[in-house]
Amino acid sequence: MTTTPLFVKLRVLILFLASGRLAVMLLPVVITVMAIYLFIPQVGQSDPAWVERWVEQKGLVGQLFHRLWLTNLRHSWLFFYTPYGLLFVNLVFCMIKRFPVLIRQSRFPKGVPRVPATSFTLAQEPPVVGDIVRLLSRKGYRSLGGDSCLYGLRGRFSLVGSWIFHVSFLILMVSGFFLMTSPENFRGKLALGEGEPFDLHATSFLSAEVRPSPDLPPLQFWIETIEFVTDDVDLHRFESTLVSPEGTRATVGINRPYRSPPYQVLAEGFGYMPGWIIKDMRGRVVSSGWVKLVPFPLEVEDLFSLGVRVGGLVRVTFYPDYEEIDGEERNRSYEALNPKFKTRIEIDGISVFEGLLEPGQEVSIDNGRLHFFFLPEIRKYTILDIIEEEDYGTPFACFGGMILGLVFRYARIRKEIWVQISENSVQIAGRSEILPALFQEELEAFAGDVAKLSPRLDNGKSLGSGKKIQSRKEEGVT
Amino acid sequence: MSPLEYTTFWITVGAYSLGAALALWGIVFRRDQPLAVATFVCGAGLLSNCIAIGARIAFTGHLPVASRYENVLFGTAVVMLFSVASLVKRPSLRPILVFTAPFALLMLGYALLNQPRYTTMSLVLDNLWMFVHVFFAWLSYGAYSLAAAVGVLYLLRARKSLEGLPEEQIPTIFARLPSMLVLEDLIFRYIIFGFITHVVMIVSGAIWARDLWGKYWNWDPVETWSLLSVLLYGLWIHLRVTLNWGGKRMAGLAVAAIITVIFAYWGTSLLSSTDHSLDDLKLRTPMTEVQ
């Protein structure tokens, strides 16, 4: 093998990169960065103006933090990419370095390995080997050996578990940064009423971090029905039925997304959408529209504009199922059983009407020249989030891998037991990879169990209980 | 609260108070008898705690996770279950009650401050993953708190004043404790259990978040802090397994690490707005965006 200084240096570097020590050094850095992330306002997480104000208020310290990218940690080379990158490299090297070890450890040995130095002797007549094998097997050990020395091994795949956990974590780190927390996937929000259609390429979204590109596959549906399940004033379920152009139906609700790869449709909220009309004195429609009120939480004041031609502002609190008890106005349920609008209409800042309106009830505004009323029809609407999913299966598989790996690693820790049987004594030794003190207790308990086993006869057969041995001895059997 | 829940809640408070007082008496006056009685009293308190939870479930018809009160009531039972169960297996660990019983009392006090009135399950919380998330969260918190309590015992046992003393001169309470090496291993075992359940808690929360918010991870303060604490315990495990660290510093770290877990539950919501606050766990309906 070449042993040039460069090769030696490279080997040292690789060994350092594959060492647990590096992980132990990097983890506190990552933990500290996370703690800073919560205590210092972050660009992209808080309002940028607020971050600027914070930097100004803190003076020199604030400026220093800002210069060190501590106010934008998720894009900081020093505090984010470098430690995470090193952690990534460390994990990769560790996984490669440990792979041959775990293969070696997962194999069941062909011969009995060397007995560790620490062992204790039981002074008794040795029991039958088969009984010890059965005892080992009952405790989950796979045994090997002959009459004089027995070897039991438990949890030989323990290291495989550790490897699976770390590989899953490694993949999760990559997918986490590029997929899980990525704002790059298309995310649009819109409010759709009953009967309204949706077309991804035709609809203009109320908000979207990234606009849909024309290359995206189509997504079309219309909202057939929206149902609320309530008792008294509490809402228990909310479901919208989506119908595709092919006629297939799907349900979407809170905690119940609709998945149509590569899209995910989430329900974010719901409400009522009454229509409104303004007519002039001759009954001609001056202005009209639908307004999507938000009744959740109920009894919250909403406001909408009556358009440029009228220039008024309507403040409205909607009660789907109104009742008045002792002068207190409240809702009985979410269902529109007795809808009422607590309304205040302002034109040019002057209140022209204030009172309780029923659907269809006309109100004179603008000194009687205009009439405003809500339509009798009140529909329900839902707020939907449209997300373009990327490879969401990978993080899911990694989660499974991490849990499985941990269970594999720690549910069956690697433990070894040696039982050496001589003519008139039994020697027991053991070794545990971790938790040595608890294993020592376990070993002592095992020795106690061995001591309770029936002694062996010269021909190697068990005689059963001690009493029987005594009685047979008396009979002169031995 | 129903009459049954009210009665059993206050029996629980009484039992844990008495248990804590007896454990303290045992430690201060170095008597074993009060510690044995404290175990029974805390066991009775745990039974009463479970009845209170059962009464709550019977009345509301859902698992006790809909409000902070219910959540903490359930968590207290899990923390005490860990303590009592470990004492059944190892009676010599009884002094841990001097830490876990007052901790449970504090939790019950906090629960009471958070309006124990009945609440229906909100739409957001009504999800199977939510139950998995909360259940595993409390399992991990229970295991970590026990690890911290054993850590404190270890530190007390490892005091300089006890160093080098012959076995017969060590106070009975400490002499009856398992050996230092066993205490170390017990801390490790509890942390391992807590770590696994903590990972399951984060994973189930991420899956639930995906159904609700469309993303597995949102870098919400509670999420971030929870990840921070799981990494801290991961560091603990690495220090122990990779670098073979042990002794006082690892016991001290186990005690210090519990602070991050407590902060993840109670502290982060004070820092900034979080989607994890049960009071604010409503649907996100930004009116300005919709209008």
Side-chain angles (χ1 to χ4, degrees):
Chain A
M1 190 180 278
T2 331
T3 50
T4 57
L6 181 68
F7 179 79
V8 172
K9 277 180 189 166
L10 204 65
R11 193 167 173 273
V12 168
L13 179 72
I14 289 171
L15 283 176
F16 174 70
L17 287 174
S19 69
R21 277 172 198 279
L22 180 62
V24 165
M25 282 190 273
L26 287 170
L27 277 172
V29 177
V30 172
I31 290 167
T32 315
V33 170
M34 276 187 179
I36 295 172
Y37 184 79
L38 286 178
F39 286 99
I40 295 176
Q42 295 294 313
V43 173
Q45 197 80 348
S46 315
D47 177 14
W50 188 61
V51 177
E52 273 176 35
R53 254 199 326 274
W54 185 87
V55 170
E56 274 174 31
Q57 275 172 7
K58 297 286 166 191
L60 193 66
V61 178
Q63 282 296 331
L64 187 72
F65 279 18
H66 192 60
R67 289 282 160 87
L68 286 170
W69 284 66
L70 286 171
T71 51
N72 194 359
L73 273 172
R74 280 178 62 193
H75 295 101
S76 155
W77 278 101
L78 185 62
F79 295 103
F80 189 80
Y81 292 117
T82 310
Y84 275 92
L86 274 172
L87 200 63
F88 176 81
V89 172
N90 177 238
L91 268 170
V92 171
F93 275 90
C94 278
M95 292 306 93
I96 296 167
K97 188 185 159 192
R98 293 198 186 10
F99 192 73
V101 182
L102 80 97
I103 293 290
R104 206 166 47 240
Q105 292 223 358
S106 305
R107 283 199 196 116
F108 193 73
K110 285 178 183 155
V112 176
R114 214 172 59 185
V115 186
T118 51
S119 65
F120 50 92
T121 310
L122 282 174
Q124 68 155 53
E125 283 184 76
V128 177
V129 173
D131 286 349
I132 304 175
V133 171
R134 266 193 294 280
L135 187 64
L136 280 169
S137 153
R138 223 176 25 241
K139 288 180 184 294
Y141 288 85
R142 191 177 156 188
S143 48
L144 164 86
D147 273 357
S148 60
C149 186
L150 268 177
Y151 168 75
L153 172 65
R154 184 181 189 268
R156 66 188 165 115
F157 296 114
S158 177
L159 272 187
V160 178
S162 173
W163 202 82
I164 292 173
F165 172 81
H166 284 97
V167 168
S168 305
F169 184 65
L170 188 72
I171 301 170
L172 192 69
M173 268 177 79
V174 181
S175 60
F177 292 126
F178 297 111
L179 305 172
M180 279 169 69
T181 64
S182 164
E184 299 306 317
N185 53 347
F186 169 69
R187 197 185 173 93
K189 194 196 299 287
L190 80 163
L192 276 185
E194 281 172 320
E196 279 189 84
F198 169 80
D199 185 342
L200 182 76
H201 294 299
T203 310
S204 85
F205 287 95
L206 291 156
S207 75
E209 286 164 29
V210 180
R211 291 275 159 199
S213 81
D215 306 331
L216 283 173
L219 177 68
Q220 290 175 316
F221 57 79
W222 64 279
I223 305 276
E224 191 178 44
T225 53
I226 298 170
E227 282 177 28
F228 299 163
V229 179
T230 66
D231 76 338
D232 295 337
V233 283
D234 287 306
L235 190 69
H236 293 297
R237 214 173 62 241
F238 147 68
E239 282 176 1
S240 305
T241 309
L242 312 182
V243 184
S244 72
E246 294 81 36
T248 49
R249 283 174 170 73
T251 308
V252 64
I254 305 295
N255 280 323
R256 291 187 64 187
Y258 162 60
R259 293 194 174 99
S260 167
Y263 303 107
Q264 191 185 176
V265 181
L266 292 170
E268 268 216 6
F270 48 89
Y272 281 99
M273 43 182 285
W276 56 270
I277 289 182
I278 293 195
K279 290 180 177 177
D280 63 14
M281 290 166 76
R282 280 178 283 180
R284 285 185 304 199
V285 175
V286 177
S287 190
S288 70
W290 289 90
V291 57
K292 283 164 177 158
L293 300 172
V294 183
F296 190 91
L298 285 167
E299 297 158 42
V300 169
E301 191 182 76
D302 200 355
L303 79 162
F304 64 94
S305 152
L306 290 174
V308 253
R309 288 182 69 185
V310 181
L313 195 70
V314 181
R315 293 181 187 277
V316 60
T317 308
F318 180 53
Y319 296 89
D321 192 4
Y322 179 84
E323 72 172 357
E324 193 179 330
I325 300 170
D326 301 331
E328 195 189 334
E329 293 159 330
R330 62 182 285 263
N331 256 310
R332 265 192 304 247
S333 74
Y334 273 80
E335 292 300 325
L337 299 172
N338 182 26
K340 292 274 196 289
F341 303 90
K342 193 177 169 185
T343 316
R344 179 186 156 98
I345 305 168
E346 293 167 9
I347 296 177
D348 297 331
I350 300 158
S351 173
V352 292
F353 172 79
E354 192 166 356
L356 206 63
L357 278 178
E358 284 181 14
Q361 187 181 340
E362 280 192 29
V363 175
S364 294
I365 53 174
D366 196 21
N367 291 324
R369 281 182 296 171
L370 295 174
H371 297 275
F372 163 83
F373 67 97
F374 280 101
L375 280 175
E377 192 188 347
I378 301 170
R379 290 185 193 170
K380 291 166 185 167
Y381 77 92
T382 176
I383 303 165
L384 298 176
D385 246 17
I386 313 289
I387 296 166
E388 187 207 343
E389 292 191 311
E390 297 204 22
D391 183 15
Y392 270 86
T394 310
F396 198 87
C398 290
F399 290 152
M402 281 169 71
I403 295 170
L404 216 90
L406 280 176
V407 171
F408 252 90
R409 175 75 177 99
Y410 292 111
R412 284 175 81 86
I413 298 163
R414 188 183 174 87
K415 292 172 185 170
E416 293 160 287
I417 290 182
W418 285 263
V419 184
Q420 276 193 314
I421 306 159
S422 63
E423 230 164 75
N424 48 13
S425 71
V426 183
Q427 270 193 323
I428 293 175
R431 185 168 58 197
S432 170
E433 176 201 3
I434 44 176
L435 304 172
L438 289 179
F439 179 65
Q440 195 58 33
E441 287 185 351
E442 208 179 302
L443 208 60
E444 279 162 24
F446 175 75
D449 289 343
V450 170
K452 280 182 209 156
L453 289 175
S454 313
R456 187 176 64 175
L457 278 177
D458 284 346
N459 61 6
K461 283 182 184 171
S462 171
L463 273 177
S465 70
K467 269 187 185 173
K468 273 184 185 168
I469 299 164
Q470 204 179 10
S471 60
R472 286 188 183 204
K473 270 182 183 170
E474 282 165 7
E475 286 164 14
V477 175
T478 52
Chain B
M1 280 197 221
S2 67
L4 178 64
E5 191 193 337
Y6 183 83
T7 314
T8 47
F9 181 88
W10 286 108
I11 290 174
T12 311
V13 171
Y16 290 163
S17 309
L18 187 62
L22 284 168
L24 193 65
W25 183 22
I27 290 270
V28 172
F29 297 103
R30 295 170 181 183
R31 297 275 172 82
D32 215 20
Q33 194 68 16
L35 281 168
V37 180
T39 313
F40 280 106
V41 172
C42 285
L46 175 64
L47 186 70
S48 172
N49 197 340
C50 292
I51 295 171
I53 294 170
R56 187 85 183 178
I57 295 171
F59 196 89
T60 58
H62 58 73
L63 288 173
V65 287
S67 66
R68 208 164 270 272
Y69 165 80
E70 291 178 358
N71 211 342
V72 177
L73 187 70
F74 178 57
T76 312
V78 176
V79 169
M80 284 313 282
L81 181 69
F82 266 96
S83 305
V84 174
S86 60
L87 294 186
V88 169
K89 207 178 170 198
R90 267 179 205 278
S92 56
L93 277 177
R94 278 173 191 153
I96 58 162
L97 283 178
V98 84
F99 310 108
T100 51
F103 182 58
L105 261 182
L106 278 176
M107 285 173 76
L108 285 179
Y110 177 77
L112 210 58
L113 287 174
N114 278 275
Q115 303 260 331
R117 67 186 171 81
Y118 288 115
T119 45
T120 43
M121 186 62 90
S122 87
L123 283 174
V124 177
L125 298 177
D126 196 7
N127 186 302
L128 178 71
W129 287 110
M130 160 70 179
F131 300 119
V132 179
H133 179 65
V134 172
F135 180 69
F136 278 92
W138 281 118
L139 281 186
S140 71
Y141 292 0
Y144 287 151
S145 56
L146 209 59
V150 177
V152 175
L153 280 189
Y154 183 95
L155 293 173
L156 286 175
R157 177 78 174 76
R159 275 176 309 167
K160 276 198 172 159
S161 57
L162 296 180
E163 257 177 33
L165 279 184
E167 201 64 20
E168 60 273 10
Q169 283 182 27
I170 295 174
T172 330
I173 298 293
F174 296 119
R176 286 192 187 168
L177 278 177
S179 72
M180 303 282 274
L181 288 172
V182 170
L183 283 179
E184 261 186 56
D185 276 6
L186 283 175
I187 298 173
F188 187 23
R189 186 181 263 186
Y190 293 137
I191 285 184
I192 287 292
F193 184 82
F195 185 77
I196 297 174
T197 46
H198 200 160
V199 170
V200 177
M201 181 263 271
I202 290 181
V203 164
S204 54
I207 296 168
W208 175 36
R210 192 207 164 192
D211 275 2
L212 193 62
W213 300 319
K215 272 186 189 176
Y216 282 117
W217 200 260
N218 293 287
W219 290 106
D220 172 86
V222 174
E223 283 174 350
T224 312
W225 202 269
S226 192
L227 185 64
L228 183 152
S229 44
V230 87
L231 285 177
L232 187 63
Y233 280 102
L235 173 69
W236 195 99
I237 294 168
H238 274 92
L239 286 171
R240 169 80 200 233
V241 176
T242 316
L243 301 190
N244 279 324
W245 276 26
K248 281 195 231 174
R249 52 186 174 182
M250 290 308 279
L253 189 57
V255 178
I258 192 78
I259 297 166
T260 61
V261 175
I262 293 172
F263 190 77
Y265 188 76
W266 280 287
T268 40
S269 52
L270 304 173
L271 271 182
S272 49
S273 66
T274 167
D275 291 329
H276 277 77
S277 164
L278 281 170
D279 311 323
D280 305 319
L281 247 174
K282 290 171 183 156
L283 309 178
R284 292 196 265 182
T285 48
M287 290 171 63
T288 46
E289 286 185 50
V290 175
Q291 293 300 325

